[in-house]
Each structure stands twice: as structure tokens, then as C-alpha cells.
Amino acid sequence: MGKCGAVWVILLIWGIGSCLAGCDSGDGDGSDDDSSGDADGDGDTDGDGDGDTDGDTDADSDADTDGDSDADGDIEGWTAAHNERRQQINAGEVSGQPVASPPLDDFTWDAILAGVAQNYAELCVWGHNDARTEQYAAAGGENVYVGENIYASWGGSAPSADAVVGSWFSEYTYYHYDDNSCDEGEMCGHYTQIVWRDTKRVGCGIIRCDTLEGLNVNNAWYVVCDYAPGGNYMGQQPY
């Protein structure tokens, strides 16, 4: 529940190179809902785009681009929100998670990644962009796998970078570093992508969609963050 009785609904979905031990590698349609107002999609757990929702959309009609989105966006806000959490790992401030040694590097903002993320967000289709890796390389980015986290909310104002990244990061409570597993029925891939050692760059896009196709909700805020090199490979701990 949001303030003043407003109903908030938040969905999170993650895309990785391979499924973490203990996570669901199903079809990942991203549409699982929960009457409590929170839900997690299975996501694109093998990097092949299965998390994408079928259906066509018209970005010109569905996306509000009058000041609500900018690929260059709040660069410091998005990078700082990610780096704050990585620094918490370095400082040993995250309960149940080991200190990163050597410390995790801070992310840097990647305008090419941000452009890929923004362009995809403006389609207003819920699900992963299965062409993100190819699009990044074609736009002049490095020829590496690109990871992705996506987020949607409606019933209120635009979510802050800190709120979005904080919601992804909160999955640490379900993640078990020692055996690289996630609690049954929970998602951990948003968290592990944020703290993946080999990921160096992030770029995010945000848009208010008149209609978010696939979820069929109106006036939804849609956030896409892309990461390079992407993480979450099977059998590997994040750091």
C-alpha cells in the first residue's frame, strides 16, 4: 500500500546468462501476480529472450515522451544508487553476505547502454529485450553479453532510482552465497546482477506508459537497466 491509500503495484524481472542454482528457469512470462500488490516475474533466465511478452505495441501512442524520459537521464542518481549497494558489500554491511575481497569496483554510466535501455522502455512492452546484446554492439558498445533488470509500478508518481535499485537489492535476504542458491519460490538475480564483480557499466531508461502491454495496466512507470558485461552465469558466485 502506498501513502494516503494509493495502491502501488511493483513488478520486477531479471535477465541473466544462465539460471542461478535453485532459481526457476521456466518460460518466464513475467505476468505472475500476487494479491498483496507485489509480484516477481520469472524473467529471461537463460538470456534467450523467453521473458519477453508477446504482442505488438506502438511506442508513439503508448509512451509519454514529454519530459518523462531521457536516455541521458539522472546519470548520477542511477549510478549512485547501484554503487551505494556495491559499497555496502565492500564494507560488510549486508547481513548474511560476505565482504567482497578485493572490493567491488563502482559502476560507471554507459550512454550507449542507456540508449538501448531507453529505446526498449519506450516500446512499453513488459518483458526482456532479447536483442539488447546485439543492439549494444551495433551502437558502438563492447561485444559482450548484456544483462538486464526491469521494473514497473503504477498508481503513483515516478519511482526514484534509489527505490528501484533498493527493491532489486533487497533480494539479498533470499540469496545464499556459500552454495550460490536462492530460496525456493524467490528471486535473487536482480541482487546478484547488481553485485556481479565483472559487471562494470550500467545504463538505465525510464518512461511513463499510457498502457504497459503484457501487463495491461495504464499510466505505468517502466524502468529498464542494462549492464555490461552482464552477469549471473550458472555455477558462478557474483564476487
Side-chain angles (χ1 to χ4, degrees):
M1 284 293 178
K3 295 180 180 179
C4 302
V7 177
W8 288 78
V9 182
I10 299 172
L11 290 98
L12 308 96
I13 192 166
W14 53 285
I16 66 176
S18 299
C19 182
L20 285 169
C23 76
D24 185 356
S25 58
D27 62 4
D29 63 5
S31 61
D32 297 337
D33 202 357
D34 186 320
S35 59
S36 66
D38 296 311
D40 292 318
D42 292 334
D44 180 5
T45 59
D46 56 6
D48 65 359
D50 288 343
D52 291 343
T53 302
D54 293 334
D56 298 323
T57 186
D58 181 349
D60 291 336
S61 61
D62 287 342
D64 178 359
T65 57
D66 296 332
D68 289 334
S69 65
D70 183 352
D72 293 327
D74 183 3
I75 295 173
E76 292 184 0
W78 289 103
T79 52
H82 283 85
N83 289 336
E84 177 183 349
R85 274 72 185 186
R86 288 172 72 87
Q87 291 162 9
Q88 287 173 0
I89 290 291
N90 291 341
E93 297 173 352
V94 182
S95 177
Q97 303 302 319
V99 175
S101 181
L104 303 178
D105 294 334
D106 280 351
F107 284 165
T108 59
W109 182 260
D110 187 322
I112 299 176
L113 278 177
V116 172
Q118 185 66 45
N119 287 341
Y120 182 72
E122 289 180 4
L123 296 177
C124 290
V125 177
W126 174 254
H128 281 293
N129 175 10
D130 62 350
R132 60 190 182 270
T133 296
E134 293 78 9
Q135 290 169 353
Y136 179 57
E142 189 179 0
N143 187 22
V144 295
Y145 170 70
V146 173
E148 184 169 84
N149 285 346
I150 69 176
Y151 171 108
S153 66
W154 55 94
S157 58
S160 67
D162 189 67
V164 173
V165 177
S167 69
W168 290 332
F169 188 79
S170 68
E171 293 173 354
Y172 77 82
T173 58
Y174 309 125
Y175 178 68
H176 306 280
Y177 183 92
D178 289 344
D179 61 2
N180 195 33
S181 67
C182 189
D183 286 349
E184 184 175 358
E186 302 294 346
M187 298 298 292
C188 298
H190 300 97
Y191 162 72
T192 52
Q193 175 59 85
I194 290 170
V195 300
W196 199 263
R197 177 180 296 283
D198 292 340
T199 298
K200 304 299 182 184
R201 301 179 297 280
V202 63
C204 300
I206 182 170
I207 190 76
R208 186 182 66 80
C209 299
D210 290 344
T211 300
L212 184 55
E213 298 290 338
L215 294 179
N216 297 321
V217 293
N218 298 325
N219 298 318
W221 290 98
Y222 192 20
V223 177
V224 178
C225 285
D226 286 345
Y227 305 86
N232 289 357
Y233 287 93
M234 182 175 289
Q236 297 183 26
Q237 292 161 315
Y239 58 87

